[in-house]
Amino acid sequence: MDFGITGKIAIVTGGATGIGHAIAKTFHDEGATVIINGRTQSKLDAACNAIGPRAHGVVADLLTAEGAATLADFAAGFGPVSYLVNNIGVFDVNDFFEVSDDRWIEYFQHNLMTAIRISRIVLKDMLTRNEGSVVFISSEAAIRSIGNMTPYSVTKTAMLGLSRSLAELTRGTDVRVNSYMPGTTATESVQGYFEGLAKELGKTVEAALSDFYRDVQPSNLSQKLIDPAMHGRGVVQLMTNSAMNGVTHRADGGTIRSIFG
């Protein structure tokens, strides 16, 4: 299927690993030029080599306004940005009563402010040009709030509100803003978490995953981790569908018991 993105420019924040890397790879394989950012040039170079010849990385920390400007300027050197994927995020398992104020602020900085800073620049240019598509990578935890991941759940819920609010700014234009909610995915960090959990419990990873789906996500219909490549396809489809604006696309393996999304 031709998504019509050949020769266009896509920014995928945090695209060196995980879901972001899969999204960047899909954009590249469909003909786009892809810009990713990170904090270490060597890691960016390795990721770009894996993605393909039209992938380019820049050291730019979106925890600062200067970093957002660096990323936007670097991408603009290749042409107008047609696609912006806000993918940066952090997560961990924690006890709500033990999470400090500083850690809460870190969550908001990573999971929201990084997206706000780069969107402030890129979305404004899209509206001026009357062309472009933005997606915020949220999580099924935004709807299925998780008690031992409260800061993560709260910030991912806030991301849905941010996405819809920015979509309101696109009324009557050819610019769109949507959000995407992946479920538990076989990224490096998630696999590392289950490997550590299995070691702690004295079980195999397969047994730990089986227990997870039985006890934590019994409503999940696939009962397995999602291949990151599936999210790459899903995000590109969402971002190139002109009929979809201001919506949340759910790709969680059926964990959330809802006929909507």
Side-chain angles (χ1 to χ4, degrees):
M1 181 176 180
D2 183 2
F3 290 102
I5 62 177
T6 299
K8 294 192 175 182
I9 311 301
I11 293 175
V12 182
T13 69
T17 60
I19 291 174
H21 186 276
I23 295 169
K25 177 66 173 170
T26 304
F27 265 108
H28 177 277
D29 290 351
E30 293 295 332
T33 294
V34 181
I35 313 301
I36 63 175
N37 74 298
R39 298 180 183 179
T40 307
Q41 190 64 54
S42 60
K43 291 182 179 180
L44 288 169
D45 290 343
C48 288
N49 286 336
I51 293 168
R54 293 185 311 282
H56 307 275
V58 59
V59 174
D61 187 354
L62 300 191
L63 291 173
T64 68
E66 293 78 12
T70 295
L71 174 57
D73 290 345
F74 182 81
F78 294 88
V81 176
S82 295
Y83 305 100
L84 169 62
V85 181
N86 287 304
N87 169 71
I88 292 174
V90 296
F91 80 94
D92 60 5
V93 174
N94 45 49
D95 180 345
F96 167 75
F97 299 103
E98 300 298 326
V99 181
S100 68
D101 287 1
D102 287 344
R103 185 57 176 158
W104 270 100
I105 291 170
E106 287 176 355
Y107 260 96
F108 276 96
Q109 284 285 353
H110 281 86
N111 293 1
L112 280 173
M113 291 306 302
T114 56
I116 289 169
R117 290 188 183 99
I118 190 63
S119 296
R120 188 185 290 139
I121 301 170
V122 175
L123 177 59
K124 186 174 183 179
D125 181 64
M126 288 178 174
L127 290 170
T128 299
R129 293 184 291 106
N130 194 33
E131 184 266 339
S133 179
V134 179
V135 157
F136 292 83
I137 305 301
S138 180
S139 166
E140 51 91 15
I143 302 299
R144 189 184 65 85
S145 300
I146 303 172
N148 63 354
M149 298 176 69
T150 302
Y152 179 75
S153 297
V154 168
T155 50
K156 288 301 185 177
T157 302
M159 183 173 275
L160 302 185
L162 171 62
S163 173
R164 177 64 202 197
S165 293
L166 295 185
E168 293 293 323
L169 304 180
T170 71
R171 188 184 304 273
T173 75
D174 290 330
V175 180
R176 297 175 296 107
V177 181
N178 296 293
S179 53
Y180 183 90
M181 292 197 309
T184 310
T185 301
T187 61
E188 298 93 328
S189 57
V190 169
Q191 289 177 316
Y193 167 76
F194 279 107
E195 288 169 3
L197 180 63
K199 184 176 181 180
E200 179 183 327
L201 297 175
K203 298 181 177 181
T204 64
V205 173
E206 291 73 16
L209 278 167
S210 179
D211 290 350
F212 171 77
Y213 285 111
R214 183 194 65 215
D215 301 332
V216 180
Q217 287 192 6
S219 62
N220 184 287
L221 301 179
S222 64
Q223 293 287 290
K224 62 182 178 181
L225 297 177
I226 300 167
D227 181 348
M230 297 299 101
H231 297 313
R233 298 177 189 178
V235 169
V236 170
Q237 290 171 344
L238 173 62
M239 297 190 79
T240 56
N241 187 337
S242 61
M244 300 185 76
N245 195 11
V247 304
T248 297
H249 183 84
R250 181 162 56 88
D252 66 340
T255 300
I256 300 170
R257 288 192 173 108
S258 171
I259 61 174
F260 297 103

